[in-house]
Amino acid sequence: MARVRKIAFEEHYTAVGFKDYTKSFSQHIDPAVFADLAARLEDFDEVRLREMDDAGIDYVILSQTGPGVQAEPDAAVALERARRNNDFLAQQVARHPDRYGGFAVLPMHDPVTAARELERCVGQYGFKGSLVNGHTNGRYYDDPAYDAFWECMQALDVPMYLHPVDPYIVPHAYQGHPELVGASWGWGVETASHALRLLFGGVFDRFPGIKLILGHMGEGLPFQRWRFDSRFAVYSHGITLQRPPSEYIGSNIVITTSGVCSPHALLGAIAEMGEDAVMFSVDYPYESTRIAARFIEETPMDERVREKICHGNARRLFKL
């Protein structure tokens, strides 16, 4: 297997005070399996680094596992836990600065508070952006009140990784089928819908410098670009955008391969979005580092493009 150096950035950990938040999905995982996941989430020195070395992953940007403080109903508690978590992560990054970077946990309950915490983490700790676990108690970030946050994020020139979460209200179509609610289907639909709210809500027109990262091969959005243009031209409902919807997907919205190790899907995403908009990631520890590395190294493609996807695009995005 050809060895290509890699950067990955949907790579999770957890810290004290956050396990209660994960019960929403951990309760559905076999206890023995989750015990192994929990041990990996808490490890920064042994298994994680060894798997990175074996897979040729030079550098990862670490993020708190979901749903994090987005599930916290109390805004003051969310801020306190976010700050404590970010301080903890900074300590771990400082111990391995050549291998780890950090994504800030943000209390998105209040846009200005979230902006100030992002400023602190980028300025004080050198964090590479943020990872936000979807909506905050049913509030989505196309709400005009969040323009204060987006303005700050654009000025800092760091991206947000929009990570999946359960829908605020479970759709009727999922009733009787709990397997549809989470990672198998519902998370992708929820996250793609949130990203589209930002797109059609004009957030990228008001703040054209924003970079939003979607995992899991873009949560399906790359493969609907043509249809977004076709149907929006007919059913705009009075909304106006500066560009066709498809043009935001690949410029403002970029994606990772995390959790979708399909050569056909990867090649289709590159064809739709361009070779500069697709990046490698694993989704550690929920997916296999070994399988992800083999997939990205064995998918037939030009080696120049492979190097972009494995590390070049990430180096540019995060100014590494």
Side-chain angles (χ1 to χ4, degrees):
M1 182 170 70
R3 177 58 68 208
V4 182
R5 309 316 302 176
K6 304 172 194 69
I7 294 168
F9 49 97
E10 191 183 329
E11 320 308 318
H12 303 298
Y13 72 95
T14 196
V16 175
F18 278 73
K19 288 184 179 178
D20 286 346
Y21 297 135
T22 64
K23 287 179 181 177
S24 62
F25 64 88
S26 65
Q27 63 183 321
H28 303 298
I29 302 175
D30 178 87
V33 173
F34 192 75
D36 177 67
L37 290 173
R40 289 169 179 266
L41 286 167
E42 294 174 358
D43 165 65
F44 294 89
D45 301 297
E46 302 296 335
V47 176
R48 188 187 298 268
L49 286 171
R50 184 168 65 248
E51 289 199 13
M52 287 170 59
D53 289 340
D54 290 345
I57 299 174
D58 293 331
Y59 186 82
V60 302
I61 301 174
L62 298 168
S63 55
Q64 172 62 245
T65 193
V69 297
Q70 270 65 70
E72 172 56 56
D74 188 308
V77 172
L79 174 59
E80 188 274 332
R81 288 194 171 182
R83 289 180 65 91
R84 184 150 47 97
N85 184 92
N86 291 328
D87 294 344
F88 170 83
L89 177 57
Q91 293 171 3
Q92 306 311 311
V93 170
R95 293 169 56 242
H96 300 285
D98 57 331
R99 306 304 302 277
Y100 296 153
F103 275 147
V105 171
L106 297 181
M108 297 293 286
H109 306 61
D110 176 73
V112 174
T113 300
R116 297 294 83 80
E117 182 60 10
L118 181 62
E119 282 183 327
R120 185 181 80 93
C121 290
V122 173
Q124 184 173 331
Y125 295 138
F127 280 7
K128 306 305 180 185
S130 65
L131 183 142
V132 172
N133 292 288
H135 63 82
T136 295
N137 301 312
R139 194 175 183 192
Y140 293 86
Y141 312 134
D142 59 310
D143 183 329
Y146 282 93
D147 279 6
F149 172 81
W150 297 120
E151 182 178 21
C152 173
M153 188 177 118
Q154 178 173 259
L156 292 170
D157 194 22
V158 294
M160 174 192 283
Y161 204 122
L162 187 64
H163 188 270
V165 72
D166 284 343
Y168 184 61
I169 298 173
V170 175
H172 180 73
Y174 299 170
Q175 297 300 319
H177 285 273
E179 73 280 3
L180 296 180
V181 177
S184 297
W185 178 250
W187 282 0
V189 174
E190 168 68 26
T191 307
S193 298
H194 195 160
L196 290 175
R197 287 182 66 117
L198 299 177
L199 192 165
F200 288 111
V203 172
F204 303 134
D205 285 345
R206 296 194 296 278
F207 305 100
I210 286 176
K211 284 290 191 294
L212 188 77
I213 307 166
L214 299 180
H216 318 110
M217 211 66 79
E219 313 291 5
L221 292 188
F223 310 102
Q224 294 292 320
R225 289 174 72 248
W226 188 94
R227 183 164 177 80
F228 292 143
D229 289 353
S230 168
R231 295 303 87 198
F232 183 64
V234 179
Y235 304 111
S236 70
H237 296 280
I239 295 171
T240 59
L241 295 173
Q242 294 175 8
R243 296 184 284 163
S246 64
E247 292 189 13
Y248 299 89
I249 303 172
S251 56
N252 296 104
I253 297 174
V254 296
I255 72 170
T256 76
T257 64
S258 65
V260 180
C261 296
S262 163
H264 301 295
L266 172 58
L267 295 175
I270 295 169
E272 280 290 339
M273 300 180 66
E275 62 194 39
D276 294 330
V278 183
M279 291 163 281
F280 171 76
S281 283
V282 177
D283 201 352
Y284 181 91
Y286 302 103
E287 298 285 352
S288 164
T289 304
R290 177 182 55 82
I291 290 173
R294 178 180 296 133
F295 146 71
I296 206 67
E297 291 176 343
E298 294 183 351
T299 296
M301 72 177 77
D302 183 271
E303 291 305 314
R304 178 189 60 81
V305 176
R306 193 187 317 277
E307 290 189 359
K308 275 189 170 186
I309 291 167
C310 285
H311 63 86
N313 291 336
R315 289 186 190 280
R316 184 185 71 256
L317 179 63
F318 298 110
K319 307 176 188 65
L320 299 176

